[in-house]
Each structure stands twice: as C-alpha cells, then as structure tokens.
Amino acid sequence: MAINRSAEAMTIFAVICAGLFPVFHMGRVWLIFFNLPYPNTRGPVWPNFNSPLMWDVFAISTYFTVSLLFWYTGLIPDLASVRDRAKKKFTKFCYQIASFGWIGSAKHWQRHEALSLVLAGISTPLVLSVHTIVSFDFATSVVPGWHTTIFPPYFVAGAIFSGFAMVLSLMLIARKVLNLQQYITLEHIESMNKIIVVTGSIVGCAYLTELFTAWYSGSIYEGYAFANRALGPYWWSYWGMMTCNVISPQLFWVRPLRRNVWFTFFMSVVINIGMWFERFVIIVTSIHRDYLPSAWSYYSPTYVEISIFLGTIGLFLTAFLLFSKVAPVIAMAETKHILKISGDAQKAAAAAHHSHEPAAASFQVHQS
Amino acid sequence: MSRKFLVGIYNDDEKAVSAVRELKKNHMDVYDVISPFAVHGMDDALGLAESRLHITGFIYGATGTAIAYSLMTWVFTSDWPLNFGGKPHYSFPAFIPIMFEFTVLCASIGMTVTFLLRSGLFPGRIRETLDDRFTDDKFGVVFHLHKNLSQQEIDKIKQMLQSTGAEEIKEKELAKHY
C-alpha cells in the first residue's frame, strides 16, 4: 500500500515512453492507425494477426488501458478527499471535476471494491503477457542470440527487477521530499530489496542458461553470437550488464545493506543502468554481426537517437513530477484501513502479544 | 426537490458497523453509510445485496473473446485468406494472445464504465456532501427524514444514534438527491 499508487503511475508513464519507440520505428508516424484492425477501403487489408508484432500492439495498448483504469478508479476516492480539503475555489473546482462526484456511499464502495479486485486480478496475468509478448518479438525471429525459448520468463523477471529498482529510485526521493517516512517504512524498502535479490538472481540464471545453451546446442551461429557478446567489440556493455544486474544485487543478501536507504538508492540506480545495458546487449550485439559479414559494423547512436532517449526520460520525469504535485502519491483510502483508531488498538494488542508483529504486519501491507 | 437527512457521525469504522447492526435490529431504516474507505462488514450490516459487477465483467470478457476469435477467423479464412509462409489460414494457437488481450481489455473497460454509470460518477459530476469530514476520518450513518416521520420517531433515531456512540448528530438539507 505504501508504493502501489505511485508504482501504477510510473507504469503508465513508462508505457507511454516505451510506446513512443515502436511508433517512431514504424517510420510514418501519421499512419500509425494502420495497425488497428478496422474495416478500411484498402481491400480491406487486415493486419497479420499471426505476427508477434501485432500481438504487441494489442498487448501494449491493453496494458496501458487497464493500468490507467485501475490507477484512476483507485485515485477517485483520494481525489475526492483532496477536493474536500481544498481551500482555494479554483483548486476545489478542479478536484470536483477529477473526482467524478465521489462521496463514499456504502454501495459505491462495494462496487469500487469489486471492480478493484477484478482489475487487479486481470492485470496480474497481463503483466506476464505483455512482457512475454515483447519477448516473442525477439524469440520468434531467426537472429542468433534472440531465437531462444527462455526469453519470456527472462523478460518477465527482468521487468519486475528493473520495475522495482525504478520505483525505489523515485520513491526514495519522494519519501525524503514529501516526508513519507511513516508510510514508506524501512520494512517496505527491505522487502523490495528482497524481491530485487530474487528477480536479479533469476535474471542472472537466465544469462548463464543462455550461455550454456549457446554452447550445448552446438549451433555455431548461436555460439558465435554469445562469444561475441562477452569478448567482442561490445564486451564493455556485456560486462556492465553482468556487474550491474547479477553481481551487485547479491550485496542485498546482507541485512544492514538492505536496510540502508542511501545504499538502496545507489543500487537502484545501478540496476537501472544495468537493465539499460541488457537491452543494449540484446539488440546491438545480436544485429551488429548477423549472417552477412559484409553488413557487419560498429553501431554508435546518432544525436537524434540520444535526444529521443533523453526526451523520454524527460517526459517520464515530468509526468511523474506532475502526478506527485497534483495527486496523492500514497493510496490514502487504502492506508486508512490500517491507520484507523481501532487499528491502533489492535496493533498495541498485537505488539503486547508478539513483539515482532508490527514488522510482519507491514510486510503483509506491502504485499497486498 | 430538496431532501433532509439526519446524520450520525462516528469516529471509528467498527463503531459505525456495530451501530448500523444495532439500528437494523431495531428495524430502523438506515438510508446510507458514508465512509472514507471501504468498511469491512458494512455491506453485511446494511443488508446490501452483493454487487453483480463481476458478473458483468464476465459477460464483457466473454464478448471480447468471441469478437476477437470470430474476427480473426473470418478475416483469415474467408475475407482475405493470405498465405503467411505456408502456414494454415486457421491457426488457432496464434490467435490466443490477441484473444486473451482483447478479453481483458473488454472486461476492464466494460466493468469500469458500468461501475461509473451505476454509481452516477462522471467527470464534472458535482454532488453536495453531507459532511466534508467523511472523506477524511469520520463515518456517517445517514437517515432520510421524509415527511411521514413524526417528531417522536426522529427523536428516537437521534437517541439511538447517541446510544450507539455517535460523536455528533446533525441534520442537513441537500438541494438534490445525492
């Protein structure tokens, strides 16, 4: 509950940024609607529903839409709460529009709960599906280094890994700036670091499995692609990825480090860099030397590519800052469940019973 | 038409739930309960029927599956049967990802729109609140003071609210039904 609202917001902003890249890649941005299967006057010519690229169109747009709906319906009661606290007339007016006339009636809450439960339930498999389908874009190709069946679980673990790191990077700053230490506790941070160790190790396992399979398959192309990754001209990106994603998160096995805010922040940035290296390794090293040696070259980004990349970071941060300026970054209504008066009484009783209870309780809170 | 409401304000959700139980036991017609979060056990205490929203979700989802499946089948087998690398025109396994995505998309959009419509929520909807503290930390048990209630009955409600632990009791007239 401490981080869910802002993590959902980051999901939405990140999907917007991520979606820009395939759009630019298609070349003619203004014809982007050709992707949609609508009856048209060109035949009608339909998109190829058998193509993973087409699946991706559906996966990303569905992921974006469902995340947006889940985020906003959860936000409505909190926006209503801000509306009723607003002092300036204009502010109140804006929140009146944004909160859809929410008053907190019992029947509305009942429906809200039912909706949240189902949306949460269906967005969980959606997370798996969206990363699986993105990995299909690579896995169903014939490019050495991409054509591997391990990609779907590898991408899902990588997404959780980098997602948690991103949330930590931003929320540790937000926690300090907005004084949220009481809501985002050290227990939350420690739990997140545990997830980072687990998913980081899964990702590390996937890297090693890839290497093993490249050798064990006996495919010379696959073997070359991986030898080239580790020892070729892009060796620095491969070892950067290995250091940042596999080796450094293992430091989180040490409890004092898991509970150190500054170290966690530093590591979250390292992991983000590592995950960027991972994408670079997968894409660049596999295609800079493909089946046609005459096409081999050394890729370095142009100023346009660098600007687009920096632009998306700017877009993401602007969106997140706007969000944290105008909307509650903590899911208030959900948090009130556990911070109510009777909750205090229960906590006191539990503390008297078991001295370690508060820590366990806050872990459950984070899980839900 | 303006309506008059009598509101008992409680400072704790458990007190509010037990108050509603007590009031219901005495056959009092609780109009609504307003709370800052979804109170556990309140639906039961109020005797609210279970929401059928998840049933609509299933119907929207199933519709989505059917639409995605039939559109892809129709396009690839009859409307424009293209040859993609010699693969069969009707290739069901390749339809599964889009069927799944479209099912989820239809279920979530449909349920959200149904939720908003049934609860009368839309951008710019302005409802008068009974008390601004109900989106903060107070819980309101609401009675509708319609014309047929005698002063004696109203006094009895007030007394019951007081005895079940209401911090404050107030009457408020809203210009419209909320």
PDB file of all heavy atoms in Angstrom, chain A residues 253-279:
ATOM      1  N   TRP A 253      21.996  -9.567   0.039  1.00  0.00           N
ATOM      2  CA  TRP A 253      21.867 -10.666   0.994  1.00  0.00           C
ATOM      3  C   TRP A 253      22.242 -10.195   2.397  1.00  0.00           C
ATOM      4  O   TRP A 253      21.881 -10.818   3.378  1.00  0.00           O
ATOM      5  CB  TRP A 253      22.769 -11.849   0.602  1.00  0.00           C
ATOM      6  CG  TRP A 253      22.271 -12.594  -0.601  1.00  0.00           C
ATOM      7  CD1 TRP A 253      22.750 -12.505  -1.869  1.00  0.00           C
ATOM      8  CD2 TRP A 253      21.203 -13.541  -0.644  1.00  0.00           C
ATOM      9  NE1 TRP A 253      22.046 -13.334  -2.715  1.00  0.00           N
ATOM     10  CE2 TRP A 253      21.092 -13.983  -1.981  1.00  0.00           C
ATOM     11  CE3 TRP A 253      20.335 -14.063   0.313  1.00  0.00           C
ATOM     12  CZ2 TRP A 253      20.143 -14.910  -2.386  1.00  0.00           C
ATOM     13  CZ3 TRP A 253      19.392 -14.980  -0.100  1.00  0.00           C
ATOM     14  CH2 TRP A 253      19.296 -15.402  -1.432  1.00  0.00           C
ATOM     15  N   VAL A 254      22.988  -9.093   2.458  1.00  0.00           N
ATOM     16  CA  VAL A 254      23.429  -8.572   3.762  1.00  0.00           C
ATOM     17  C   VAL A 254      22.343  -7.655   4.316  1.00  0.00           C
ATOM     18  O   VAL A 254      21.988  -6.650   3.697  1.00  0.00           O
ATOM     19  CB  VAL A 254      24.753  -7.789   3.597  1.00  0.00           C
ATOM     20  CG1 VAL A 254      25.256  -7.313   4.940  1.00  0.00           C
ATOM     21  CG2 VAL A 254      25.781  -8.648   2.895  1.00  0.00           C
ATOM     22  N   ARG A 255      21.817  -8.006   5.463  1.00  0.00           N
ATOM     23  CA  ARG A 255      20.679  -7.277   6.018  1.00  0.00           C
ATOM     24  C   ARG A 255      20.941  -5.793   6.259  1.00  0.00           C
ATOM     25  O   ARG A 255      20.116  -4.959   5.870  1.00  0.00           O
ATOM     26  CB  ARG A 255      20.210  -7.969   7.297  1.00  0.00           C
ATOM     27  CG  ARG A 255      18.972  -7.380   7.918  1.00  0.00           C
ATOM     28  CD  ARG A 255      18.547  -8.204   9.120  1.00  0.00           C
ATOM     29  NE  ARG A 255      17.976  -7.353  10.162  1.00  0.00           N
ATOM     30  CZ  ARG A 255      16.679  -7.115  10.305  1.00  0.00           C
ATOM     31  NH1 ARG A 255      15.819  -7.648   9.464  1.00  0.00           N
ATOM     32  NH2 ARG A 255      16.233  -6.338  11.261  1.00  0.00           N
ATOM     33  N   PRO A 256      22.068  -5.392   6.868  1.00  0.00           N
ATOM     34  CA  PRO A 256      22.290  -3.950   7.070  1.00  0.00           C
ATOM     35  C   PRO A 256      22.296  -3.173   5.758  1.00  0.00           C
ATOM     36  O   PRO A 256      21.867  -2.017   5.723  1.00  0.00           O
ATOM     37  CB  PRO A 256      23.656  -3.895   7.763  1.00  0.00           C
ATOM     38  CG  PRO A 256      23.838  -5.222   8.373  1.00  0.00           C
ATOM     39  CD  PRO A 256      23.143  -6.195   7.493  1.00  0.00           C
ATOM     40  N   LEU A 257      22.753  -3.798   4.672  1.00  0.00           N
ATOM     41  CA  LEU A 257      22.746  -3.098   3.384  1.00  0.00           C
ATOM     42  C   LEU A 257      21.321  -2.965   2.852  1.00  0.00           C
ATOM     43  O   LEU A 257      20.962  -1.946   2.267  1.00  0.00           O
ATOM     44  CB  LEU A 257      23.621  -3.842   2.370  1.00  0.00           C
ATOM     45  CG  LEU A 257      25.128  -3.818   2.633  1.00  0.00           C
ATOM     46  CD1 LEU A 257      25.873  -4.592   1.559  1.00  0.00           C
ATOM     47  CD2 LEU A 257      25.658  -2.389   2.708  1.00  0.00           C
ATOM     48  N   ARG A 258      20.508  -4.018   3.048  1.00  0.00           N
ATOM     49  CA  ARG A 258      19.104  -3.972   2.596  1.00  0.00           C
ATOM     50  C   ARG A 258      18.354  -2.852   3.290  1.00  0.00           C
ATOM     51  O   ARG A 258      17.414  -2.301   2.758  1.00  0.00           O
ATOM     52  CB  ARG A 258      18.401  -5.278   2.964  1.00  0.00           C
ATOM     53  CG  ARG A 258      18.598  -6.404   2.013  1.00  0.00           C
ATOM     54  CD  ARG A 258      17.483  -7.410   2.138  1.00  0.00           C
ATOM     55  NE  ARG A 258      17.259  -7.937   3.481  1.00  0.00           N
ATOM     56  CZ  ARG A 258      17.816  -9.029   3.971  1.00  0.00           C
ATOM     57  NH1 ARG A 258      18.634  -9.732   3.207  1.00  0.00           N
ATOM     58  NH2 ARG A 258      17.542  -9.450   5.177  1.00  0.00           N
ATOM     59  N   ARG A 259      18.742  -2.556   4.525  1.00  0.00           N
ATOM     60  CA  ARG A 259      18.015  -1.565   5.310  1.00  0.00           C
ATOM     61  C   ARG A 259      18.685  -0.194   5.282  1.00  0.00           C
ATOM     62  O   ARG A 259      18.298   0.701   6.037  1.00  0.00           O
ATOM     63  CB  ARG A 259      17.873  -2.056   6.758  1.00  0.00           C
ATOM     64  CG  ARG A 259      17.052  -3.322   6.856  1.00  0.00           C
ATOM     65  CD  ARG A 259      16.962  -3.818   8.267  1.00  0.00           C
ATOM     66  NE  ARG A 259      16.182  -2.935   9.125  1.00  0.00           N
ATOM     67  CZ  ARG A 259      14.859  -2.991   9.249  1.00  0.00           C
ATOM     68  NH1 ARG A 259      14.184  -3.895   8.588  1.00  0.00           N
ATOM     69  NH2 ARG A 259      14.220  -2.164  10.036  1.00  0.00           N
ATOM     70  N   ASN A 260      19.680  -0.036   4.424  1.00  0.00           N
ATOM     71  CA  ASN A 260      20.354   1.255   4.310  1.00  0.00           C
ATOM     72  C   ASN A 260      19.769   2.029   3.132  1.00  0.00           C
ATOM     73  O   ASN A 260      19.859   1.594   1.983  1.00  0.00           O
ATOM     74  CB  ASN A 260      21.852   1.012   4.106  1.00  0.00           C
ATOM     75  CG  ASN A 260      22.638   2.297   4.085  1.00  0.00           C
ATOM     76  OD1 ASN A 260      22.224   3.270   3.451  1.00  0.00           O
ATOM     77  ND2 ASN A 260      23.760   2.321   4.768  1.00  0.00           N
ATOM     78  N   VAL A 261      19.148   3.178   3.436  1.00  0.00           N
ATOM     79  CA  VAL A 261      18.428   3.918   2.401  1.00  0.00           C
ATOM     80  C   VAL A 261      19.379   4.424   1.310  1.00  0.00           C
ATOM     81  O   VAL A 261      19.088   4.313   0.112  1.00  0.00           O
ATOM     82  CB  VAL A 261      17.650   5.086   3.028  1.00  0.00           C
ATOM     83  CG1 VAL A 261      16.977   5.916   1.961  1.00  0.00           C
ATOM     84  CG2 VAL A 261      16.608   4.558   4.002  1.00  0.00           C
ATOM     85  N   TRP A 262      20.515   4.964   1.723  1.00  0.00           N
ATOM     86  CA  TRP A 262      21.443   5.522   0.727  1.00  0.00           C
ATOM     87  C   TRP A 262      21.989   4.436  -0.181  1.00  0.00           C
ATOM     88  O   TRP A 262      22.079   4.608  -1.398  1.00  0.00           O
ATOM     89  CB  TRP A 262      22.608   6.237   1.425  1.00  0.00           C
ATOM     90  CG  TRP A 262      22.166   7.562   1.945  1.00  0.00           C
ATOM     91  CD1 TRP A 262      21.899   7.883   3.244  1.00  0.00           C
ATOM     92  CD2 TRP A 262      21.876   8.740   1.185  1.00  0.00           C
ATOM     93  NE1 TRP A 262      21.477   9.175   3.344  1.00  0.00           N
ATOM     94  CE2 TRP A 262      21.450   9.728   2.092  1.00  0.00           C
ATOM     95  CE3 TRP A 262      21.936   9.044  -0.178  1.00  0.00           C
ATOM     96  CZ2 TRP A 262      21.082  11.005   1.682  1.00  0.00           C
ATOM     97  CZ3 TRP A 262      21.572  10.329  -0.589  1.00  0.00           C
ATOM     98  CH2 TRP A 262      21.164  11.274   0.345  1.00  0.00           C
ATOM     99  N   PHE A 263      22.338   3.285   0.436  1.00  0.00           N
ATOM    100  CA  PHE A 263      22.859   2.186  -0.371  1.00  0.00           C
ATOM    101  C   PHE A 263      21.783   1.662  -1.323  1.00  0.00           C
ATOM    102  O   PHE A 263      22.061   1.390  -2.495  1.00  0.00           O
ATOM    103  CB  PHE A 263      23.367   1.062   0.543  1.00  0.00           C
ATOM    104  CG  PHE A 263      23.969  -0.074  -0.221  1.00  0.00           C
ATOM    105  CD1 PHE A 263      25.216   0.049  -0.814  1.00  0.00           C
ATOM    106  CD2 PHE A 263      23.263  -1.263  -0.396  1.00  0.00           C
ATOM    107  CE1 PHE A 263      25.754  -0.988  -1.545  1.00  0.00           C
ATOM    108  CE2 PHE A 263      23.803  -2.298  -1.130  1.00  0.00           C
ATOM    109  CZ  PHE A 263      25.055  -2.160  -1.702  1.00  0.00           C
ATOM    110  N   THR A 264      20.543   1.562  -0.825  1.00  0.00           N
ATOM    111  CA  THR A 264      19.446   1.091  -1.670  1.00  0.00           C
ATOM    112  C   THR A 264      19.260   2.015  -2.870  1.00  0.00           C
ATOM    113  O   THR A 264      19.076   1.567  -4.001  1.00  0.00           O
ATOM    114  CB  THR A 264      18.143   1.025  -0.851  1.00  0.00           C
ATOM    115  OG1 THR A 264      18.363   0.186   0.258  1.00  0.00           O
ATOM    116  CG2 THR A 264      16.999   0.493  -1.671  1.00  0.00           C
ATOM    117  N   PHE A 265      19.323   3.336  -2.577  1.00  0.00           N
ATOM    118  CA  PHE A 265      19.158   4.285  -3.681  1.00  0.00           C
ATOM    119  C   PHE A 265      20.274   4.115  -4.719  1.00  0.00           C
ATOM    120  O   PHE A 265      20.020   4.039  -5.922  1.00  0.00           O
ATOM    121  CB  PHE A 265      19.158   5.718  -3.136  1.00  0.00           C
ATOM    122  CG  PHE A 265      19.008   6.745  -4.222  1.00  0.00           C
ATOM    123  CD1 PHE A 265      17.786   6.919  -4.849  1.00  0.00           C
ATOM    124  CD2 PHE A 265      20.088   7.505  -4.638  1.00  0.00           C
ATOM    125  CE1 PHE A 265      17.633   7.841  -5.871  1.00  0.00           C
ATOM    126  CE2 PHE A 265      19.947   8.433  -5.659  1.00  0.00           C
ATOM    127  CZ  PHE A 265      18.716   8.596  -6.274  1.00  0.00           C
ATOM    128  N   PHE A 266      21.490   4.011  -4.227  1.00  0.00           N
ATOM    129  CA  PHE A 266      22.634   3.826  -5.131  1.00  0.00           C
ATOM    130  C   PHE A 266      22.445   2.556  -5.974  1.00  0.00           C
ATOM    131  O   PHE A 266      22.593   2.569  -7.192  1.00  0.00           O
ATOM    132  CB  PHE A 266      23.916   3.745  -4.292  1.00  0.00           C
ATOM    133  CG  PHE A 266      25.134   3.358  -5.075  1.00  0.00           C
ATOM    134  CD1 PHE A 266      25.717   4.253  -5.973  1.00  0.00           C
ATOM    135  CD2 PHE A 266      25.688   2.090  -4.945  1.00  0.00           C
ATOM    136  CE1 PHE A 266      26.830   3.886  -6.703  1.00  0.00           C
ATOM    137  CE2 PHE A 266      26.793   1.719  -5.676  1.00  0.00           C
ATOM    138  CZ  PHE A 266      27.367   2.617  -6.561  1.00  0.00           C
ATOM    139  N   MET A 267      22.057   1.453  -5.308  1.00  0.00           N
ATOM    140  CA  MET A 267      21.878   0.190  -6.022  1.00  0.00           C
ATOM    141  C   MET A 267      20.755   0.264  -7.037  1.00  0.00           C
ATOM    142  O   MET A 267      20.839  -0.329  -8.115  1.00  0.00           O
ATOM    143  CB  MET A 267      21.571  -0.941  -5.022  1.00  0.00           C
ATOM    144  CG  MET A 267      22.766  -1.479  -4.305  1.00  0.00           C
ATOM    145  SD  MET A 267      24.012  -2.086  -5.412  1.00  0.00           S
ATOM    146  CE  MET A 267      23.031  -3.287  -6.242  1.00  0.00           C
ATOM    147  N   SER A 268      19.670   0.989  -6.689  1.00  0.00           N
ATOM    148  CA  SER A 268      18.546   1.060  -7.624  1.00  0.00           C
ATOM    149  C   SER A 268      18.980   1.764  -8.910  1.00  0.00           C
ATOM    150  O   SER A 268      18.570   1.372 -10.006  1.00  0.00           O
ATOM    151  CB  SER A 268      17.356   1.759  -6.978  1.00  0.00           C
ATOM    152  OG  SER A 268      17.648   3.112  -6.754  1.00  0.00           O
ATOM    153  N   VAL A 269      19.837   2.774  -8.766  1.00  0.00           N
ATOM    154  CA  VAL A 269      20.337   3.461  -9.961  1.00  0.00           C
ATOM    155  C   VAL A 269      21.254   2.519 -10.758  1.00  0.00           C
ATOM    156  O   VAL A 269      21.171   2.431 -11.992  1.00  0.00           O
ATOM    157  CB  VAL A 269      21.068   4.769  -9.573  1.00  0.00           C
ATOM    158  CG1 VAL A 269      21.686   5.411 -10.802  1.00  0.00           C
ATOM    159  CG2 VAL A 269      20.119   5.730  -8.903  1.00  0.00           C
ATOM    160  N   VAL A 270      22.093   1.790 -10.038  1.00  0.00           N
ATOM    161  CA  VAL A 270      22.997   0.832 -10.703  1.00  0.00           C
ATOM    162  C   VAL A 270      22.178  -0.190 -11.505  1.00  0.00           C
ATOM    163  O   VAL A 270      22.489  -0.510 -12.655  1.00  0.00           O
ATOM    164  CB  VAL A 270      23.890   0.128  -9.658  1.00  0.00           C
ATOM    165  CG1 VAL A 270      24.594  -1.074 -10.262  1.00  0.00           C
ATOM    166  CG2 VAL A 270      24.906   1.095  -9.087  1.00  0.00           C
ATOM    167  N   ILE A 271      21.089  -0.686 -10.893  1.00  0.00           N
ATOM    168  CA  ILE A 271      20.268  -1.694 -11.560  1.00  0.00           C
ATOM    169  C   ILE A 271      19.596  -1.105 -12.798  1.00  0.00           C
ATOM    170  O   ILE A 271      19.501  -1.751 -13.835  1.00  0.00           O
ATOM    171  CB  ILE A 271      19.237  -2.284 -10.579  1.00  0.00           C
ATOM    172  CG1 ILE A 271      19.963  -3.129  -9.531  1.00  0.00           C
ATOM    173  CG2 ILE A 271      18.195  -3.124 -11.303  1.00  0.00           C
ATOM    174  CD1 ILE A 271      19.123  -3.491  -8.345  1.00  0.00           C
ATOM    175  N   ASN A 272      19.131   0.138 -12.689  1.00  0.00           N
ATOM    176  CA  ASN A 272      18.533   0.763 -13.875  1.00  0.00           C
ATOM    177  C   ASN A 272      19.529   0.856 -15.013  1.00  0.00           C
ATOM    178  O   ASN A 272      19.196   0.598 -16.173  1.00  0.00           O
ATOM    179  CB  ASN A 272      18.013   2.157 -13.528  1.00  0.00           C
ATOM    180  CG  ASN A 272      16.670   2.089 -12.851  1.00  0.00           C
ATOM    181  OD1 ASN A 272      15.805   1.337 -13.282  1.00  0.00           O
ATOM    182  ND2 ASN A 272      16.507   2.837 -11.799  1.00  0.00           N
ATOM    183  N   ILE A 273      20.758   1.219 -14.679  1.00  0.00           N
ATOM    184  CA  ILE A 273      21.804   1.288 -15.709  1.00  0.00           C
ATOM    185  C   ILE A 273      22.044  -0.113 -16.266  1.00  0.00           C
ATOM    186  O   ILE A 273      22.136  -0.305 -17.484  1.00  0.00           O
ATOM    187  CB  ILE A 273      23.092   1.895 -15.112  1.00  0.00           C
ATOM    188  CG1 ILE A 273      22.839   3.356 -14.728  1.00  0.00           C
ATOM    189  CG2 ILE A 273      24.243   1.794 -16.105  1.00  0.00           C
ATOM    190  CD1 ILE A 273      23.964   3.987 -13.929  1.00  0.00           C
ATOM    191  N   GLY A 274      22.091  -1.109 -15.373  1.00  0.00           N
ATOM    192  CA  GLY A 274      22.314  -2.481 -15.806  1.00  0.00           C
ATOM    193  C   GLY A 274      21.234  -2.968 -16.748  1.00  0.00           C
ATOM    194  O   GLY A 274      21.507  -3.633 -17.750  1.00  0.00           O
ATOM    195  N   MET A 275      19.974  -2.625 -16.443  1.00  0.00           N
ATOM    196  CA  MET A 275      18.884  -3.083 -17.305  1.00  0.00           C
ATOM    197  C   MET A 275      18.925  -2.367 -18.652  1.00  0.00           C
ATOM    198  O   MET A 275      18.524  -2.925 -19.671  1.00  0.00           O
ATOM    199  CB  MET A 275      17.528  -2.874 -16.624  1.00  0.00           C
ATOM    200  CG  MET A 275      17.227  -3.899 -15.575  1.00  0.00           C
ATOM    201  SD  MET A 275      17.338  -5.610 -16.155  1.00  0.00           S
ATOM    202  CE  MET A 275      15.885  -5.727 -17.187  1.00  0.00           C
ATOM    203  N   TRP A 276      19.418  -1.125 -18.647  1.00  0.00           N
ATOM    204  CA  TRP A 276      19.588  -0.446 -19.932  1.00  0.00           C
ATOM    205  C   TRP A 276      20.665  -1.170 -20.736  1.00  0.00           C
ATOM    206  O   TRP A 276      20.522  -1.395 -21.942  1.00  0.00           O
ATOM    207  CB  TRP A 276      19.962   1.026 -19.723  1.00  0.00           C
ATOM    208  CG  TRP A 276      20.047   1.757 -21.013  1.00  0.00           C
ATOM    209  CD1 TRP A 276      19.024   2.308 -21.703  1.00  0.00           C
ATOM    210  CD2 TRP A 276      21.221   1.952 -21.812  1.00  0.00           C
ATOM    211  NE1 TRP A 276      19.468   2.842 -22.877  1.00  0.00           N
ATOM    212  CE2 TRP A 276      20.818   2.640 -22.968  1.00  0.00           C
ATOM    213  CE3 TRP A 276      22.563   1.617 -21.667  1.00  0.00           C
ATOM    214  CZ2 TRP A 276      21.704   3.013 -23.967  1.00  0.00           C
ATOM    215  CZ3 TRP A 276      23.448   1.989 -22.663  1.00  0.00           C
ATOM    216  CH2 TRP A 276      23.019   2.671 -23.791  1.00  0.00           C
ATOM    217  N   PHE A 277      21.749  -1.559 -20.075  1.00  0.00           N
ATOM    218  CA  PHE A 277      22.803  -2.322 -20.750  1.00  0.00           C
ATOM    219  C   PHE A 277      22.254  -3.631 -21.314  1.00  0.00           C
ATOM    220  O   PHE A 277      22.634  -4.043 -22.403  1.00  0.00           O
ATOM    221  CB  PHE A 277      23.948  -2.632 -19.778  1.00  0.00           C
ATOM    222  CG  PHE A 277      25.015  -1.575 -19.733  1.00  0.00           C
ATOM    223  CD1 PHE A 277      25.482  -1.073 -18.529  1.00  0.00           C
ATOM    224  CD2 PHE A 277      25.557  -1.101 -20.914  1.00  0.00           C
ATOM    225  CE1 PHE A 277      26.472  -0.109 -18.498  1.00  0.00           C
ATOM    226  CE2 PHE A 277      26.563  -0.140 -20.895  1.00  0.00           C
ATOM    227  CZ  PHE A 277      27.012   0.365 -19.686  1.00  0.00           C
ATOM    228  N   GLU A 278      21.346  -4.265 -20.556  1.00  0.00           N
ATOM    229  CA  GLU A 278      20.785  -5.532 -21.032  1.00  0.00           C
ATOM    230  C   GLU A 278      20.100  -5.346 -22.385  1.00  0.00           C
ATOM    231  O   GLU A 278      20.324  -6.106 -23.328  1.00  0.00           O
ATOM    232  CB  GLU A 278      19.790  -6.090 -20.014  1.00  0.00           C
ATOM    233  CG  GLU A 278      19.247  -7.452 -20.444  1.00  0.00           C
ATOM    234  CD  GLU A 278      17.971  -7.835 -19.729  1.00  0.00           C
ATOM    235  OE1 GLU A 278      18.031  -8.166 -18.547  1.00  0.00           O
ATOM    236  OE2 GLU A 278      16.905  -7.793 -20.383  1.00  0.00           O
ATOM    237  N   ARG A 279      19.264  -4.317 -22.478  1.00  0.00           N
ATOM    238  CA  ARG A 279      18.562  -4.059 -23.754  1.00  0.00           C
ATOM    239  C   ARG A 279      19.567  -3.754 -24.856  1.00  0.00           C
ATOM    240  O   ARG A 279      19.452  -4.207 -25.982  1.00  0.00           O
ATOM    241  CB  ARG A 279      17.576  -2.874 -23.613  1.00  0.00           C
ATOM    242  CG  ARG A 279      16.553  -3.088 -22.550  1.00  0.00           C
ATOM    243  CD  ARG A 279      15.699  -4.262 -22.895  1.00  0.00           C
ATOM    244  NE  ARG A 279      15.514  -5.112 -21.751  1.00  0.00           N
ATOM    245  CZ  ARG A 279      14.334  -5.597 -21.366  1.00  0.00           C
ATOM    246  NH1 ARG A 279      13.259  -5.312 -22.061  1.00  0.00           N
ATOM    247  NH2 ARG A 279      14.258  -6.374 -20.326  1.00  0.00           N
TER     248      ARG A 279
END
